[in-house]
């Protein structure tokens, strides 16, 4: 009987500890920079993990996005068919 109680307590403890373990999630990128050059908006991040992408607002009012990229890899957003110096502003979007 005592062995059965110890076994039952051990099972309850094991189940209880399953909720205590912290999930392993990626952190957001850090040290991100943006820039623009003619018709291209750019973003790059130097630390952390996860993904980033450039978001550019074009002078014709359209919004374009670069591809999602890992840390230390650049993301480029192009403002097509607007002409030289066609990027109004650039920001960076992050996700883990």
């Amino acid at each position: 009987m005592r062995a059965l109680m110890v076994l039952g307590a051990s099972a309850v403890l094991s189940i209880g500890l399953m909720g205590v373990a912290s999930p392993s999630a990626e952190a957001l990128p850090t040290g991100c920079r943006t820039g623009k050059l003619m018709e291209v908006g750019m973003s790059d991040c130097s630390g952390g993990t996860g993904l980033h992408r450039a978001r550019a607002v074009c002078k014709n009012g359209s919004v374009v996005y670069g591809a999602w990229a890992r840390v230390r890899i650049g993301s480029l957003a192009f403002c097509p068919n607007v002409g030289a110096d066609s990027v109004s502003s650039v920001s960076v979007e992050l996700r883990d």
Side-chain angles (χ1 to χ4, degrees), residues 29-70:
T30 60
C32 298
R33 304 177 294 173
T34 62
K36 60 182 180 173
L37 179 62
M38 299 179 59
E39 68 272 353
V40 180
M42 303 166 276
S43 70
D44 182 38
C45 299
S46 61
T49 57
L51 303 170
H52 71 94
R53 72 176 176 180
R55 177 187 182 275
V57 177
C58 305
K59 289 192 176 175
N60 67 0
S62 64
V63 178
V64 293
Y65 299 89
W68 287 105
R70 295 239 171 246

Side-chain angles (χ1 to χ4, degrees), residues 2-16:
R2 181 164 163 62
L4 187 56
M5 287 174 40
V6 169
L7 183 59
S10 176
V12 169
L13 182 59
S14 295
I15 291 170

